[in-house]
Tab-separated table of all heavy atoms in Angstrom:
chain	number	residue	atom	x	y	z
A	201	THR	N	-13.216	-1.029	-0.876
A	201	THR	CA	-14.268	-0.865	-1.872
A	201	THR	C	-15.189	0.319	-1.612
A	201	THR	O	-15.750	0.882	-2.558
A	201	THR	CB	-15.133	-2.140	-1.950
A	201	THR	OG1	-15.678	-2.424	-0.659
A	201	THR	CG2	-14.293	-3.314	-2.419
A	202	SER	N	-15.369	0.721	-0.342
A	202	SER	CA	-16.287	1.824	-0.045
A	202	SER	C	-16.095	2.288	1.379
A	202	SER	O	-15.442	1.623	2.188
A	202	SER	CB	-17.752	1.381	-0.236
A	202	SER	OG	-18.094	0.392	0.728
A	203	ASN	N	-16.663	3.452	1.709
A	203	ASN	CA	-16.646	3.923	3.088
A	203	ASN	C	-17.532	3.020	3.940
A	203	ASN	O	-18.687	2.755	3.597
A	203	ASN	CB	-17.165	5.354	3.172
A	203	ASN	CG	-16.191	6.360	2.600
A	203	ASN	OD1	-15.005	6.081	2.464
A	203	ASN	ND2	-16.687	7.532	2.257
A	204	ALA	N	-16.993	2.548	5.036
A	204	ALA	CA	-17.733	1.686	5.946
A	204	ALA	C	-16.986	1.637	7.261
A	204	ALA	O	-15.798	1.986	7.327
A	204	ALA	CB	-17.899	0.278	5.373
A	205	THR	N	-17.660	1.219	8.304
A	205	THR	CA	-17.045	1.056	9.615
A	205	THR	C	-17.471	-0.273	10.213
A	205	THR	O	-18.647	-0.655	10.140
A	205	THR	CB	-17.449	2.201	10.563
A	205	THR	OG1	-16.751	3.389	10.197
A	205	THR	CG2	-17.075	1.879	12.003
A	206	PHE	N	-16.499	-0.969	10.797
A	206	PHE	CA	-16.758	-2.229	11.488
A	206	PHE	C	-16.077	-2.172	12.844
A	206	PHE	O	-14.899	-1.823	12.949
A	206	PHE	CB	-16.212	-3.406	10.676
A	206	PHE	CG	-16.197	-4.722	11.416
A	206	PHE	CD1	-17.371	-5.284	11.877
A	206	PHE	CD2	-15.001	-5.397	11.651
A	206	PHE	CE1	-17.370	-6.492	12.564
A	206	PHE	CE2	-14.981	-6.610	12.316
A	206	PHE	CZ	-16.166	-7.161	12.776
A	207	VAL	N	-16.829	-2.492	13.897
A	207	VAL	CA	-16.305	-2.535	15.261
A	207	VAL	C	-16.708	-3.859	15.881
A	207	VAL	O	-17.856	-4.296	15.740
A	207	VAL	CB	-16.862	-1.383	16.120
A	207	VAL	CG1	-16.218	-1.381	17.490
A	207	VAL	CG2	-16.669	-0.048	15.441
A	208	PHE	N	-15.763	-4.498	16.570
A	208	PHE	CA	-16.051	-5.769	17.248
A	208	PHE	C	-15.262	-5.831	18.543
A	208	PHE	O	-14.105	-5.415	18.604
A	208	PHE	CB	-15.651	-6.956	16.368
A	208	PHE	CG	-15.686	-8.288	17.097
A	208	PHE	CD1	-16.877	-8.981	17.246
A	208	PHE	CD2	-14.532	-8.825	17.646
A	208	PHE	CE1	-16.911	-10.186	17.941
A	208	PHE	CE2	-14.552	-10.040	18.334
A	208	PHE	CZ	-15.752	-10.720	18.474
A	209	SER	N	-15.880	-6.359	19.589
A	209	SER	CA	-15.174	-6.603	20.830
A	209	SER	C	-15.787	-7.799	21.547
A	209	SER	O	-17.010	-7.994	21.528
A	209	SER	CB	-15.217	-5.378	21.748
A	209	SER	OG	-14.429	-5.595	22.900
A	210	ARG	N	-14.919	-8.580	22.158
A	210	ARG	CA	-15.348	-9.711	22.980
A	210	ARG	C	-14.547	-9.681	24.267
A	210	ARG	O	-13.342	-9.443	24.252
A	210	ARG	CB	-15.129	-11.038	22.269
A	210	ARG	CG	-15.629	-12.263	23.049
A	210	ARG	CD	-15.307	-13.552	22.312
A	210	ARG	NE	-15.965	-14.700	22.914
A	210	ARG	CZ	-15.446	-15.435	23.903
A	210	ARG	NH1	-14.261	-15.118	24.399
A	210	ARG	NH2	-16.104	-16.475	24.392
A	211	ALA	N	-15.212	-9.924	25.407
A	211	ALA	CA	-14.531	-9.854	26.698
A	211	ALA	C	-15.195	-10.774	27.702
A	211	ALA	O	-16.365	-11.150	27.551
A	211	ALA	CB	-14.547	-8.415	27.216
A	212	ARG	N	-14.421	-11.122	28.742
A	212	ARG	CA	-14.978	-11.778	29.919
A	212	ARG	C	-15.436	-10.678	30.861
A	212	ARG	O	-14.654	-9.840	31.300
A	212	ARG	CB	-13.929	-12.645	30.596
A	212	ARG	CG	-13.416	-13.796	29.767
A	212	ARG	CD	-14.449	-14.878	29.521
A	212	ARG	NE	-14.961	-15.437	30.757
A	212	ARG	CZ	-15.876	-16.405	30.813
A	212	ARG	NH1	-16.395	-16.896	29.678
A	212	ARG	NH2	-16.298	-16.884	31.972
A	213	ILE	N	-16.721	-10.665	31.162
A	213	ILE	CA	-17.319	-9.560	31.894
A	213	ILE	C	-17.702	-10.005	33.298
A	213	ILE	O	-18.546	-10.901	33.465
A	213	ILE	CB	-18.576	-9.046	31.155
A	213	ILE	CG1	-18.195	-8.613	29.732
A	213	ILE	CG2	-19.228	-7.905	31.933
A	213	ILE	CD1	-19.376	-8.322	28.854
A	214	PRO	N	-17.090	-9.427	34.341
A	214	PRO	CA	-17.499	-9.755	35.714
A	214	PRO	C	-18.835	-9.095	36.040
A	214	PRO	O	-19.052	-7.918	35.731
A	214	PRO	CB	-16.361	-9.175	36.566
A	214	PRO	CG	-15.773	-8.090	35.734
A	214	PRO	CD	-15.966	-8.487	34.290
A	215	PHE	N	-19.725	-9.882	36.670
A	215	PHE	CA	-21.055	-9.342	36.970
A	215	PHE	C	-21.663	-10.120	38.126
A	215	PHE	O	-21.833	-11.342	38.048
A	215	PHE	CB	-21.951	-9.443	35.733
A	215	PHE	CG	-23.305	-8.793	35.900
A	215	PHE	CD1	-23.419	-7.423	36.041
A	215	PHE	CD2	-24.445	-9.569	35.924
A	215	PHE	CE1	-24.654	-6.831	36.209
A	215	PHE	CE2	-25.693	-8.982	36.074
A	215	PHE	CZ	-25.799	-7.606	36.216
A	216	LEU	N	-21.953	-9.411	39.224
A	216	LEU	CA	-22.581	-9.998	40.405
A	216	LEU	C	-21.814	-11.218	40.906
A	216	LEU	O	-22.394	-12.254	41.240
A	216	LEU	CB	-24.043	-10.369	40.095
A	216	LEU	CG	-24.968	-9.207	39.704
A	216	LEU	CD1	-26.352	-9.707	39.369
A	216	LEU	CD2	-25.023	-8.172	40.830
Side-chain angles (χ1 to χ4, degrees):
T201 57
S202 66
N203 288 340
T205 286
F206 169 61
V207 185
F208 170 83
S209 185
R210 183 183 190 272
R212 297 292 302 180
I213 302 170
F215 185 67
L216 298 178

